[in-house]
Amino acid sequence: MLLSIENLVLLCLGFFVVATLYSAVGFGGGSSYLALLSLTLVGFFAIRSLALVCNLVVVSTSTYLYFKHGHAKLKDFVPFVLASIPMAFIGASFRLKEEVFFILLGVSLIFSALALAWQTYTNGTRHAERVHAYPKWLSYLLGAGIGLLSGLVGIGGGIFLAPVLNHLRWDRSIKIAALASFFILVNSISGLGGLLMAKTLELPWVETVALVATVFLGGQLGIRMSLRKLTPKGIKRVTALLVFIVGVRVFLKNGLHIW
């Protein structure tokens, strides 16, 4: 066991909140799991492994329910997934130096927070739901690029993909949330495979069991909030603020060692 009981309880509370908020808008919460873990754990191999496993637990249920309720069609998601899976595997297999990892993580968190916050400032629901048609090659390109980045930092990538697709008005917001969830699912599996191949998969069993159970409960609550038409705008703004604050802290303290 790497953490004291008190710290593990606090971490579980944080993970529960993150899983609930993120799953409500189609995400797994990997970016915030990484941020919270980086403030409590030392080994970044364990940090990446735990974040991916928790991601996988949350989005498994979300993906199932999105498909069940008719918000997702596999044929629309195939280009993103085919391009992202190998790139996420490649990204996860890199043995990054600890400082490089935390700098990349911090920058990714800050960018994600800003993109997520910006996404909420649209011209209204009527305009936000207007969709445009794009060539298939763009889907492959986005899937590959975000898949590589998600593998490098140890998250599913949905938090990068969803703001881009909402900006492009790729489809309705509920379908983008469904794609983000599915994208995170396959990239998390691929990322775990990359960690296993690189022999950097570290899952301390006490922390793993506690955190997996916690995010499962939070994810169940969040996805049901989403499917009941809860507006995600306020949740996204609060989440973006939290991710931004922790991203800056991780970048300065763990990456540059100046805080």
Side-chain angles (χ1 to χ4, degrees), residues 231-242:
T231 174
K233 184 173 290 188
I235 293 175
K236 287 182 180 180
R237 288 177 179 173
V238 173
T239 302
L241 177 61
L242 294 174

Side-chain angles (χ1 to χ4, degrees), residues 159-181:
I159 197 170
F160 301 136
L161 181 64
V164 172
L165 294 183
N166 275 285
H167 174 65
L168 295 174
R169 294 175 182 170
W170 177 77
D171 212 305
R172 294 176 298 114
S173 57
I174 188 68
K175 187 171 181 179
I176 291 174
L179 170 57
S181 184

Side-chain angles (χ1 to χ4, degrees), residues 202-242:
E202 294 183 9
L203 293 171
W205 74 271
V206 175
E207 286 82 0
T208 301
V209 171
L211 294 175
V212 163
T214 298
V215 298
F216 176 78
L217 294 175
Q220 293 293 311
L221 175 61
I223 184 59
R224 282 162 174 78
M225 290 166 57
S226 173
L227 293 173
R228 289 191 178 98
K229 310 299 182 182
L230 177 70
T231 174
K233 184 173 290 188
I235 293 175
K236 287 182 180 180
R237 288 177 179 173
V238 173
T239 302
L241 177 61
L242 294 174

Side-chain angles (χ1 to χ4, degrees), residues 2-3 37-47 98 102 254:
L2 303 179
L3 298 174
L37 287 167
S38 68
L39 300 177
T40 54
L41 290 179
V42 176
F44 69 99
F45 289 146
I47 291 173
E98 188 168 352
F102 282 121
N254 301 90

Side-chain angles (χ1 to χ4, degrees), residues 11 14-15 18 22 29-38 51 105 109 155 159 239 242-243 246:
L11 192 61
F15 269 48
V18 168
Y22 274 69
S31 56
S32 288
Y33 300 146
L34 282 168
L36 291 173
L37 287 167
S38 68
L105 172 58
L109 290 173
I155 63 177
I159 197 170
T239 302
L242 294 174
V243 172
V246 180

